[in-house]
């Protein structure tokens, strides 16, 4: 279609692909570039479109950026190596085979016969256009003298019209660029255009301004008459590029330092970028390779599948984990991939991988510990239940129960609430609510398992967890063996208490036999001085026997009620001395419910018997004796008083071995029970003493 168009078009027309290969042309085009109309350029290997049109690449770049039409003036190189100034119009074209082509026309700007005057005329024709151009346009003669600049040029550099007439090209070029620009200028004089020039010009204020553009020679009969240059101020662009370059270096530094593997892949699955971490992790260069070139078949399949998911999901990242074997060590990675679109509409896959080997190992260890713990908890002899609070129903429901506890309570899935699983405890302690649950609160639980009574102590703990899900932790502690052992010990203790009681009973009976034997033989000592000694011996035996009798009757095995002991001992004394026609009156002031240990009771009883004997010996009046006894407890101490109307012992004979026996006995007892005492015999006999209850 375009070939037919070229054939009938009056202007020189051409069609080239984006690589600069000529695909079609017409006869006016042959004449424009200096060839005969019969010449076949498509078969001429010496004809290169790039050589003819030096700035072709910039034309293609502009068209690919979706500029609909590119129109400009430039010089073309003819067959005889001369240059003609032409105007080119071109556009992008897609042929029937979907090939991208550049089609265009060219027309001469001026006749070769025109001289400098013609150039000035042409310049005046286009002066309005040139002055309104955003490009910086300048024209110098072959000596470098400035011939013309447009308004944009003057505004950029700050020179006035008067200044321009005196400016030479090399006066306004920065010192560091002069050598390079002189080389370019010499080539232009020879008729060779220069493209993509970068040069620093100096403004009137002395500021360096970076320009980028093209410089073209204007030749008349092969001789340079002027140069045309078209520039853009890229100073700010250069700063931006430097900033971007700096940011690019920063990003590269970050990419190198970041502990994650970062990469880019194209839609064909080839790696186009990978940071240093990824290269070090894999130990191979990945750029230009595919997953099948790097990983085993299994992992390559995983990666390829993730690529597909990323490309189809568009908005969400495709995440996965995989294991990579390297140098006999296995590494685990968490990966994510997501599609990205570049500025030129190229679709890529961005991905990253994080080494989670250590985390994986710890997770495996935790999972293993959890399995072990679950086995221990499930099979321990202690029953364990965990209840979770159900906010919707305001009740505690079973959350976990181990095998032991299932067996204890006969657990079935039909019962889930605390009140159903432990109804007796719930009804007795928690029916009003669980607010009274305290740590280590113990409850009893009894159950018949396989015709055997089992006893458990139940402990309930209320757990306040961070997630505000209150839970009850219940332990069933098997105390069956302990209960059986306690019951056995209690049974043996009862048996021993019975036996001990029998011992006390037998001791009391044996002492009663001794007492009876003495009583039967006492008549032999009547009317002698020995009768009172026989009575004293009987009294001492009675003191000891009475202790064993009280122990036999008491529930205690080591203590007796002292008020009862003193009362019965005094009554026995009355009976003993009544036989001898002696009346003994006792005034007792005894605090009730006071107990005393066996050893202390016997010693105090012997001391009391000795005191009564002493009273009868020294305080009798007309065969009557009055004795006062008081006992009380204050602040953990016993307070005891004994008094009669006599003067008591012969104090002077205290150290006499043949006399004073009774006083020595009393003092020995007081010392043995660690008592504080006082003895007064001025007007009457008064003994006061106190000792610790313990």
């Amino acid at each position: 279609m375009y070939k037919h168009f070229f054939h009938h078009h009056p202007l020189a027309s051409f069609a080239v692909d984006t690589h600069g290969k000529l695909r079609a042309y017409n006869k006016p085009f042959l004449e424009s570039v200096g060839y005969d109309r019969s010449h076949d350029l498509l078969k001429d290997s010496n004809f290169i479109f790039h050589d003819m049109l030096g700035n072709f690449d910039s034309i293609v770049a502009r068209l690919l950026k979706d500029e609909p039409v590119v129109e400009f003036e430039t010089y073309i190189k003819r067959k005889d190596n001369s240059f003609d100034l032409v105007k080119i119009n071109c556009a992008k074209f897609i042929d029937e085979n979907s090939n991208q082509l550049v089609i265009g026309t060219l027309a001469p700007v001026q006749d070769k016969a025109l001289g400098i005057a013609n150039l000035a005329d042409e310049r005046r024709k286009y002066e309005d256009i040139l002055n309104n151009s955003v490009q910086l346009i300048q024209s110098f003669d072959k000596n470098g003298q400035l011939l013309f600049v447009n308004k944009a040029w003057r505004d950029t550099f700050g020179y006035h019209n008067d200044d321009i007439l005196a400016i030479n090209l090399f006066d306004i070029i920065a010192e560091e660029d002069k050598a390079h620009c002189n080389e370019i200028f010499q080539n232009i004089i020879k008729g060779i255009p220069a493209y993509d020039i970068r040069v620093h010009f100096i403004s009137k204020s002395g500021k360096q301004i970076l320009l980028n553009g093209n410089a073209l020679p204007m030749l008349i009969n092969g001789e340079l008459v002027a140069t045309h240059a078209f520039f853009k101020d890229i100073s700010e662009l250069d700063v931006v590029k430097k900033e971007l370059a700096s940011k690019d270096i920063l990003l590269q530094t970050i990419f190198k330092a970041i502990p994650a593997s970062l990469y880019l892949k194209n839609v064909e699955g080839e790696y186009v970028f990978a940071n240093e971490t990824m290269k070090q992790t894999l130990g191979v260069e990945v750029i230009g390779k595919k997953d099948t070139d790097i990983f085993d078949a299994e992992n390559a399949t995983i990666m390829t599948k993730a690529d597909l998911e990323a490309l189809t999901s568009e908005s969400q990242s495709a995440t996965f984990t995989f294991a990579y074997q390297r140098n006999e060590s296995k590494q685990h990675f968490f990966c994510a991939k997501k599609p990205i679109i570049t500025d030129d509409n190229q679709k890529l896959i961005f991905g990253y991988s994080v080494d989670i080997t250590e985390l994986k190992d710890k997770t495996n260890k935790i999972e293993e510990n959890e399995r072990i713990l679950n086995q221990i908890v499930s099979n321990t002899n202690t029953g364990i239940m965990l209840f979770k609070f159900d906010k919707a129903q305001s009740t505690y429901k079973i959350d976990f129960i181990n095998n032991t506890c299932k067996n204890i309570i006969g657990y079935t899935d039909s019962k889930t609430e605390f009140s159903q699983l432990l109804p007796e405890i719930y009804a007795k302690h928690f029916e009003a609510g669980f607010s009274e649950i305290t740590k280590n609160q113990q409850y009893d639980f009894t159950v018949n398992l396989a015709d055997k009574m089992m006893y458990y102590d139940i402990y309930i703990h209320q757990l306040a967890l961070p997630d505000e899900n209150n839970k009850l932790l219940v332990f069933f502690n098997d105390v069956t063996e302990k209960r059986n052992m306690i019951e056995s010990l209690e049974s043996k203790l009862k048996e021993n208490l019975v036996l001990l009681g029998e011992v006390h009973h037998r001791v009391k009976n044996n002492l009663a036999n001794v007492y009876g034997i003495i009583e039967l033989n006492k008549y032999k000592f009547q009317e002698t001085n020995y009768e009172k000694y026989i009575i004293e011996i009987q009294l001492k035996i009675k003191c000891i026997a009475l202790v064993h009798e009280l122990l036999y009757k008491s529930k205690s095995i080591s203590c007796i009620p002292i008020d009862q002991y003193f009362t019965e001992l005094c009554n026995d004394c009355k009976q003993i001395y009544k036989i001898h026609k002696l009346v003994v009156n006792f005034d007792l002031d005894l605090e009730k419910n006071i107990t005393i240990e066996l050893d202390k009771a016997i010693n105090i009883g012997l001391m009391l018997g000795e005191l009564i004997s002493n009273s009868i010996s020294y305080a009798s009046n007309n065969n009557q004796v009055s004795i006062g006894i008081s006992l009380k407890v204050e602040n953990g101490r016993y307070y005891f008083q004994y008094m009669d109307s006599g003067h008591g012992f012969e104090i002077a004979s205290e150290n006499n071995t043949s006399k004073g026996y009774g006083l020595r006995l009393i003092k020995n007892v007081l010392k043995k029970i660690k008592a504080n005492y006082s003895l007064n015999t001025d007007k009457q006999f008064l003994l006061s003493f106190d000792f610790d209850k313990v």
Side-chain angles (χ1 to χ4, degrees), residues 45 160 179 223 283 298 301 384 392 457 504 516 529 536 563 567 610 615 623 651 665 688-689:
S45 59
H160 300 294
E223 181 180 354
E298 182 180 354
T301 302
I384 300 174
D457 286 343
H504 288 306
N529 292 331
E536 290 177 3
D563 59 323
T567 301
E610 188 63 34
S615 296
N623 294 327
I651 304 302
L665 184 147
S688 300
F689 65 90

Side-chain angles (χ1 to χ4, degrees), residues 39 103 117 202 217 287:
H39 191 78
I103 62 172
I202 302 173
I287 304 300

Side-chain angles (χ1 to χ4, degrees), residues 305-584:
K305 181 181 177 183
D307 286 349
L308 201 57
E309 289 180 7
L311 290 170
T312 54
S313 64
E314 295 289 343
S315 59
Q316 294 183 347
S317 298
T319 59
F320 61 98
T321 59
F322 80 105
Y324 180 66
Q325 189 81 25
R326 181 188 175 198
N327 298 332
E328 299 182 357
S329 64
K330 198 171 189 178
Q331 293 176 278
H332 297 271
F333 297 90
F334 172 81
C335 308
K337 296 186 178 185
K338 189 173 183 178
I340 60 173
I341 307 296
T342 64
D343 291 339
D344 57 355
N345 289 323
Q346 184 182 3
K347 198 169 191 178
L348 298 174
I349 300 170
F350 168 74
Y352 68 87
S353 300
V354 180
D355 190 341
I356 59 169
T357 305
E358 185 177 354
L359 178 62
K360 184 74 173 177
D361 292 341
K362 289 182 179 179
T363 302
N364 290 339
K365 191 171 183 180
I366 291 172
E367 289 176 351
E368 178 63 23
N369 290 338
E370 284 182 350
R371 284 193 292 270
I372 294 172
L373 182 61
N374 284 335
Q375 290 181 6
I376 293 173
V377 170
S378 296
N379 298 289
T380 183
N381 290 332
T382 300
I384 300 174
M385 303 172 72
L386 188 65
F387 291 91
K388 183 177 180 181
F389 187 71
D390 188 334
K391 293 181 180 179
Q393 299 185 15
S394 297
T395 185
Y396 281 93
K397 290 189 176 182
I398 193 71
D399 192 39
F400 170 81
I401 181 169
N402 70 347
N403 296 331
T404 303
C405 199
K406 288 180 180 180
N407 187 45
I408 293 172
I409 67 172
Y411 175 76
T412 61
D413 293 336
S414 60
K415 297 178 180 179
T416 60
E417 296 185 12
F418 185 97
S419 58
Q420 296 170 327
L421 296 170
L422 298 171
E424 293 181 1
I425 292 178
Y426 179 80
K428 187 175 181 181
H429 299 282
F430 303 119
E431 196 161 10
F434 291 86
S435 58
E436 296 181 1
I437 296 177
T438 58
K439 189 176 182 181
N440 294 329
Q441 182 71 43
Q442 178 183 329
Y443 307 92
D444 296 327
F445 187 82
T446 305
V447 64
N448 191 329
L449 296 178
D451 296 329
K452 180 181 178 181
M453 292 303 298
M454 301 295 291
Y455 302 93
Y456 297 91
D457 286 343
I458 297 181
Y459 297 92
I460 302 177
H461 303 275
Q462 193 165 24
L463 307 178
L465 301 178
D467 58 359
E468 298 183 354
N469 290 324
N470 291 332
K471 294 189 178 184
L472 296 181
L473 183 61
V474 182
F475 292 102
F476 283 72
N477 187 28
D478 186 352
V479 293
T480 304
E481 186 176 350
K482 178 181 175 182
R483 279 284 293 269
N484 292 338
M485 187 179 295
I486 291 173
E487 289 178 359
S488 176
L489 290 174
E490 288 177 347
S491 176
K492 289 182 179 180
L493 178 61
K494 289 179 181 179
E495 184 180 341
N496 289 336
L497 288 174
V498 172
L499 293 175
L500 186 59
E502 288 298 318
V503 169
H504 288 306
H505 185 60
R506 291 176 185 274
V507 170
K508 188 265 297 182
N509 287 342
N510 289 335
L511 290 174
N513 290 334
V514 173
Y515 183 90
I517 292 171
I518 294 173
E519 181 68 29
L520 290 174
N521 290 278
K522 190 169 62 173
Y523 74 94
K524 297 178 182 180
F525 301 98
Q526 288 178 354
E527 307 300 331
T528 68
N529 292 331
Y530 295 105
E531 184 178 12
K532 67 174 185 177
Y533 297 114
I534 298 300
I535 294 173
E536 290 177 3
I537 291 171
Q538 283 183 301
L539 185 58
K540 288 179 174 61
I541 293 172
K542 198 69 176 176
C543 288
I544 298 172
L546 184 57
V547 169
H548 288 283
E549 183 177 3
L550 290 174
L551 284 171
Y552 174 69
K553 293 178 181 179
S554 172
K555 294 181 180 180
S556 174
I557 63 173
S558 60
C559 296
I560 62 170
I562 194 169
D563 59 323
Q564 185 179 352
Y565 178 48
F566 280 6
T567 301
E568 292 191 18
L569 184 59
C570 291
N571 290 334
D572 286 342
C573 287
K574 285 182 179 181
Q575 295 301 321
I576 290 173
Y577 288 105
K578 186 177 181 180
I579 298 172
H580 300 282
K581 298 179 180 180
L582 182 63
V583 178
V584 182

Side-chain angles (χ1 to χ4, degrees), residues 249-316:
I249 293 172
L250 178 61
L251 285 174
Q252 289 182 18
T253 303
I254 294 172
F255 283 169
K256 287 181 180 179
I258 200 167
S261 297
L262 306 176
Y263 57 88
L264 288 172
K265 298 169 71 175
N266 59 27
V267 293
E268 285 77 28
E270 291 181 347
Y271 288 88
V272 296
F273 167 81
N275 70 340
E276 196 63 31
T277 303
M278 185 170 184
K279 295 175 185 177
Q280 292 176 359
T281 301
L282 300 179
V284 294
E285 178 60 62
V286 300
I287 304 300
K289 295 182 180 179
K290 294 186 176 182
D291 292 321
T292 52
D293 302 323
I294 303 168
F295 304 107
D296 57 43
E298 182 180 354
N299 281 329
T301 302
I302 293 173
M303 297 289 280
T304 304
K305 181 181 177 183
D307 286 349
L308 201 57
E309 289 180 7
L311 290 170
T312 54
S313 64
E314 295 289 343
S315 59
Q316 294 183 347

